[in-house]
Amino acid sequence: MIDKGYHPKPWREAIGVVLRKPNNDSRRDYSMPKSYRVIALLNCLGKIAEKIMASRLSYLAETTNLLYPDQIGGRARKSAIDAALSLTHDIQLARNKGLKSSALLLDIKGAFDHVSKNRLLNICQQLGLPLSICEWILSFLSDRFIRLAFDGESTDKIEIETGIPQGSPVSPILFLIYIRFLFEEIDADKRELKLSIPSYADDLTILASSNDLDTNCQILQKIARKMIEWGSYNNIEFDKEKMELIHFYKGRYTEDETRYTVQISDTIIIKPKTEVRWLGIWFDRTLSFKPHIDKVLAKANRVYNQIARLANCGKGLSFQAMRQLYQACVTSIADYGVPVWWKGQRHYLERF
């Protein structure tokens, strides 16, 4: 069926489970729709076919120019840590040359929900994908139906005309193909201005380095406006509330730094912060990663204290079960991001 470019209709029906987004931000308001995400529960046989197609596209991504080199998410043997390492490397490289770096963090709003079927097919044809794959993508995205389920209730079946299902194995790489020409749009500027744009799925960072922060802000402003303009023509919207700016340089922090801002529009001005969170890792302006270590250890300790009560000698979990629970819930939190910040600092070992 895949080689024939056909995805059966029963496999295009899904149950959309409405889930709360994690409460990582104390300002999150669960009375607002944007505080929830819809995960599509799909047919198991259909997901096997989608996984096969995702594997084929991933192979093409590594052997051809299907994806832009800076696109990391959704690719084989690459993770969010690789994107964070890329950003850290570029900042340190600029610092070694005596330059100051500034990073503007962007997030694509409702990434999967706004993918246009016709636009995606047009991009696939421009990239020279085989006809059978293009026909399969057309079949996969046509005549899709979903029933929303929330709090024990469900809606009637409704048709979906825009977007790709969040929960499908093939959706991440289809989205990367969809935004592939976003990077092409600024490729000439990237070479001229010596920019780097590490990205992971819908999380993008524009990194500019020069001798002063004012020049960095002008570069970031130019590139950000160009990306937003491209997005408006391709049904892509950047979340203004999640745009963040940080300057990386040595030396003591001064209030004078706050005047180096990036003006996205007449009404949106992004002010710099001393620390930002990107892909689960906290970056501070000196790249000490101390805020990240403090936060992950505090979170790991909270989880540890919550599961400690299950270790009752008489009626608690077995040693093997507690060890498995500890590795899954505590170690995974404390160790996240270690490849990015670990440089053999012995003073951190005691805390861990």
Side-chain angles (χ1 to χ4, degrees), residues 34 107-114 202 235-241:
K34 66 179 181 180
D107 181 86
I108 296 177
K109 190 174 183 179
F112 289 5
D113 298 335
H114 294 93
D202 58 344
N235 206 32
I236 291 292
E237 182 181 358
F238 290 91
D239 195 334
K240 307 297 190 301
E241 296 180 1

Side-chain angles (χ1 to χ4, degrees), residues 89-340:
H89 170 268
D90 292 340
I91 296 170
Q92 292 174 335
L93 189 63
R95 177 184 293 179
N96 292 338
K97 295 179 181 179
L99 303 177
K100 296 180 179 180
S101 299
S102 301
L104 181 64
L105 279 58
L106 304 175
D107 181 86
I108 296 177
K109 190 174 183 179
F112 289 5
D113 298 335
H114 294 93
V115 172
S116 168
K117 176 178 65 176
N118 293 333
R119 176 61 180 156
L120 175 60
L121 290 170
N122 182 261
I123 293 172
C124 291
Q125 291 173 354
Q126 291 183 53
L127 293 172
L129 284 177
L131 180 60
S132 60
I133 292 181
C134 294
E135 290 179 342
W136 184 90
I137 294 174
L138 174 61
S139 177
F140 174 69
L141 295 179
S142 300
D143 300 321
R144 297 200 66 90
F145 292 89
I146 192 171
R147 288 190 296 111
L148 296 179
F150 179 70
D151 199 20
E153 303 290 336
S154 61
T155 65
D156 295 331
K157 186 168 63 175
I158 55 176
E159 186 175 3
I160 304 174
E161 298 181 355
T162 303
I164 50 181
Q166 185 152 351
S168 168
V170 77
S171 291
I173 195 162
L174 287 181
F175 175 74
L176 293 183
I177 293 173
Y178 188 72
I179 63 171
R180 195 246 189 268
F181 289 109
L182 168 63
F183 297 90
E184 292 284 350
E185 182 73 14
I186 57 176
D187 200 34
D189 295 301
K190 180 183 173 183
R191 291 192 297 268
E192 178 185 353
L193 302 173
K194 297 181 180 179
L195 289 166
S196 64
I197 309 180
S199 69
Y200 187 83
D202 58 344
D203 292 304
L204 289 73
T205 296
I206 312 172
L207 181 68
S209 300
S210 68
N211 292 318
D212 61 89
L213 299 179
D214 189 45
T215 301
N216 289 347
C217 290
Q218 293 178 20
I219 294 172
L220 293 176
Q221 178 175 297
K222 175 183 176 181
I223 300 302
R225 289 185 173 183
K226 184 172 288 190
M227 293 175 72
I228 292 172
E229 183 180 359
W230 182 92
S232 64
Y233 284 109
N234 293 274
N235 206 32
I236 291 292
E237 182 181 358
F238 290 91
D239 195 334
K240 307 297 190 301
E241 296 180 1
K242 293 184 179 180
M243 291 183 179
E244 294 182 302
L245 173 67
I246 183 171
H247 302 303
F248 297 98
Y249 63 94
K250 292 183 178 180
R252 300 180 62 181
Y253 172 79
T254 62
E255 293 295 331
D256 187 57
E257 178 189 323
T258 58
R259 69 186 181 89
Y260 298 109
T261 61
V262 173
Q263 186 168 355
I264 303 298
S265 65
D266 294 337
T267 58
I268 301 175
I269 299 176
I270 312 300
K271 297 181 179 180
K273 296 182 177 180
T274 56
E275 57 186 53
V276 296
R277 184 174 183 265
W278 190 61
L279 302 179
I281 296 177
W282 288 89
F283 291 81
D284 59 292
R285 65 176 188 83
T286 60
L287 279 190
S288 69
F289 293 102
K290 186 178 182 299
H292 174 78
I293 295 168
D294 292 340
K295 293 177 189 296
V296 296
L297 286 180
K299 184 177 180 181
N301 274 312
R302 287 196 300 269
V303 177
Y304 172 81
N305 292 329
Q306 291 171 357
I307 68 173
R309 66 191 68 178
L310 301 176
N312 184 283
C313 294
K315 298 181 181 179
L317 296 176
S318 66
F319 172 78
Q320 291 79 6
M322 283 300 301
R323 183 174 184 273
Q324 185 178 4
L325 189 60
Y326 178 84
Q327 289 179 329
C329 300
V330 179
T331 305
S332 61
I333 294 174
D335 288 356
Y336 183 75
V338 166
V340 179

